[in-house]
Amino acid sequence: MTVDIVLAGARGHGHWHLDNIRRLQDKGIVRLAGICELTPLTAGELPEGLGTPEQSADFGALLDSTGARIAVICTPIPTHTDLALTAARRGVHLLLEKPPAPSYAEFRRMADGVAEAGVVCQIGFQSLGSHAVPAVRELIAEGAIGDLAGVGGAGAWARPEAYYRRAPWAGKRRLNGVDVIDGALTNPLAHAVATALALAGASRAEDVAGIETELVRANDIESDDTSCVRVTTTRDLPVTVAATLCAEDPDEPYVVAHGSRGRITFWYKQDRVLLQRADHGPEEYEYGRTDLLENLVEHLTDGAELLVTPDVTGAFMKVVEAIRRAPDPAPLPEGTWHLLPDEQRRVVPGIDGLVAAAADNLALYSELGAPWAPRKEVST
């Protein structure tokens, strides 16, 4: 049975969804029935093979006219909750991009409204569709690395100054009085946070006992571009994730599970795992991945288990809330960053090593001696 889909937000990251929908349409399991954009896509913006989907700036009217069974929402963060509820009230199931909401209150309004409407919602943390996640959790449960001591995450990426000019909400904490919270840990490197929490077995809101944050910025923005967070779980496990968009040499982000007799490193964009343990040589594995939209379709048509429900992003949303409540990120002092003229991006010297050290030691920047690190903020 072919499932009709409406995509809200088809530009920017929405291009990835268009290509993915095209892939699934070629398999005969979905059909792109509609696109919701303020300005309709031109023929040149629509990948070949998707036909001529109906286009409208009115999301609710488009859902009504197409009779779509699934809506994919890839719009600015502050719009997620209202659009999700617009779909839910019409009985339309959801793939909602991450982060699901800019605050915990908006997340709960979305999740509770979706549940009340009786529809299902998949949150777009694609890394949680990796088959490596259950495999690593099984290795931990079997004691492959001894007793789990904590999980770290590291993301050293780079973004040009133009990245923060791509949309009015980019790099903002608030826009027109509405929360946005577009920071390094809450948006581009949100997967590192969600995946680290998943490996720690602490994905749900009730798994979080406390959160410490350190947020700074090298760019001329409101939000953080260099930050770290340490979540203490109710099992007293530390989950520490460090991130920057000002790396000297950008590299693949990863999460690492630390045990009493070894460690497991997971490069989540590559589905690649390295197991290192006492009295064994290193073992490397590569895994497959289940696409989250395909999983949602299979859930509706064949009863497959849904992989990323709102509940299993509750701990991540607690992190978003802690970052939202923290003081606005402080600008890094003059001399602690410089501009690469050829790439028009700002670099923080030494940050790559600090990000890796935070993941290795489960420590915050201030605990690693970073002279510019702010006083940590503690949230419970």
Side-chain angles (χ1 to χ4, degrees):
M1 182 173 64
T2 301
V3 176
D4 281 355
I5 290 177
V6 160
L7 171 62
R11 294 188 171 95
H13 184 59
H15 283 299
W16 183 91
H17 285 289
L18 281 174
D19 288 338
N20 193 43
I21 291 168
R22 159 71 189 275
R23 180 183 67 84
L24 298 180
Q25 188 163 300
D26 287 347
K27 293 177 71 172
I29 63 174
V30 306
R31 182 182 75 91
L32 182 61
I35 294 173
C36 182
E37 269 288 355
L38 296 179
T39 304
L41 266 64
T42 64
E45 291 178 294
L46 197 62
E48 288 186 16
L50 282 173
T52 54
E54 184 179 342
Q55 298 200 55
S56 172
D58 187 327
F59 184 53
L62 188 61
L63 293 175
D64 291 340
S65 62
T66 60
R69 196 173 178 198
I70 291 176
V72 176
I73 297 176
C74 184
T75 55
I77 302 164
T79 67
H80 284 185
T81 292
D82 284 342
L83 290 178
L85 295 180
T86 295
R89 284 192 292 267
R90 289 166 166 80
V92 178
H93 306 285
L94 292 157
L95 173 64
L96 179 63
E97 259 299 346
K98 60 80 192 162
S103 69
Y104 193 75
E106 282 291 276
F107 169 70
R108 283 268 41 105
R109 186 165 75 89
M110 179 278 295
D112 293 345
V114 164
E116 184 179 348
V119 301
V120 296
C121 178
Q122 180 102 283
I123 307 297
F125 282 106
Q126 293 291 340
S127 62
L128 300 184
S130 175
H131 305 164
V133 172
V136 171
R137 291 189 64 172
E138 187 173 348
L139 284 170
I140 293 169
E142 291 172 350
I145 56 171
D147 295 328
L148 185 64
V151 179
W157 275 3
R159 292 292 183 268
E161 291 177 324
Y163 174 78
Y164 300 106
R165 298 192 295 269
R166 74 193 193 281
W169 54 269
K172 294 286 198 299
R173 281 172 68 77
R174 294 167 196 89
L175 183 64
N176 300 324
V178 176
D179 286 323
V180 177
I181 319 301
D182 178 39
L185 287 168
T186 55
N187 194 5
L189 286 156
H191 286 91
V193 178
T195 308
L197 290 165
L199 295 193
S203 296
R204 298 173 181 271
E206 56 267 30
D207 297 325
V208 175
I211 301 172
E212 303 159 87
T213 59
E214 293 182 352
L215 313 172
V216 296
R217 57 182 176 85
N219 283 276
D220 185 17
I221 56 176
E222 288 181 7
S223 209
D224 57 289
D225 57 34
T226 299
S227 45
C228 59
V229 63
R230 182 165 56 209
V231 178
T232 302
T233 75
T234 51
R235 293 191 296 145
D236 204 29
L237 276 176
V239 178
T240 304
V241 183
T244 186
L245 302 179
C246 305
E248 294 177 285
D249 296 302
D251 206 353
E252 286 293 331
Y254 61 88
V255 294
V256 54
H258 297 278
S260 57
R261 297 198 308 274
R263 58 191 278 162
I264 303 170
T265 307
F266 172 32
W267 290 270
Y268 59 80
K269 286 179 67 68
Q270 301 173 318
D271 302 309
R272 183 165 61 91
V273 169
L274 176 64
L275 171 61
Q276 298 165 291
R277 48 183 170 167
D279 303 322
H280 290 76
E283 302 166 58
E284 192 162 342
Y285 307 93
E286 289 190 10
Y287 292 89
R289 176 179 292 215
T290 298
D291 175 72
L292 296 185
L293 179 55
E294 192 164 3
N295 172 242
L296 174 57
V297 172
E298 290 174 351
H299 172 79
L300 296 176
T301 57
D302 300 323
E305 182 181 359
L306 202 63
L307 291 176
V308 193
T309 63
D311 280 352
V312 300
T313 65
F316 168 80
M317 283 306 308
K318 286 288 188 180
V319 171
V320 173
E321 182 68 8
I323 290 172
R324 186 184 79 88
R325 289 174 171 267
D328 288 348
L332 287 174
E334 194 172 329
T336 59
W337 62 269
H338 62 266
L339 181 70
L340 291 183
D342 291 348
E343 300 178 41
Q344 285 298 299
R345 68 178 181 90
R346 300 187 185 191
V347 169
V348 177
I351 190 61
D352 303 28
L354 276 170
V355 165
D360 280 346
N361 296 284
L362 304 174
L364 302 175
Y365 292 144
S366 61
E367 296 165 345
L368 295 168
W372 41 257
R375 179 178 64 86
K376 68 184 178 186
E377 292 295 324
V378 179
S379 172
T380 57

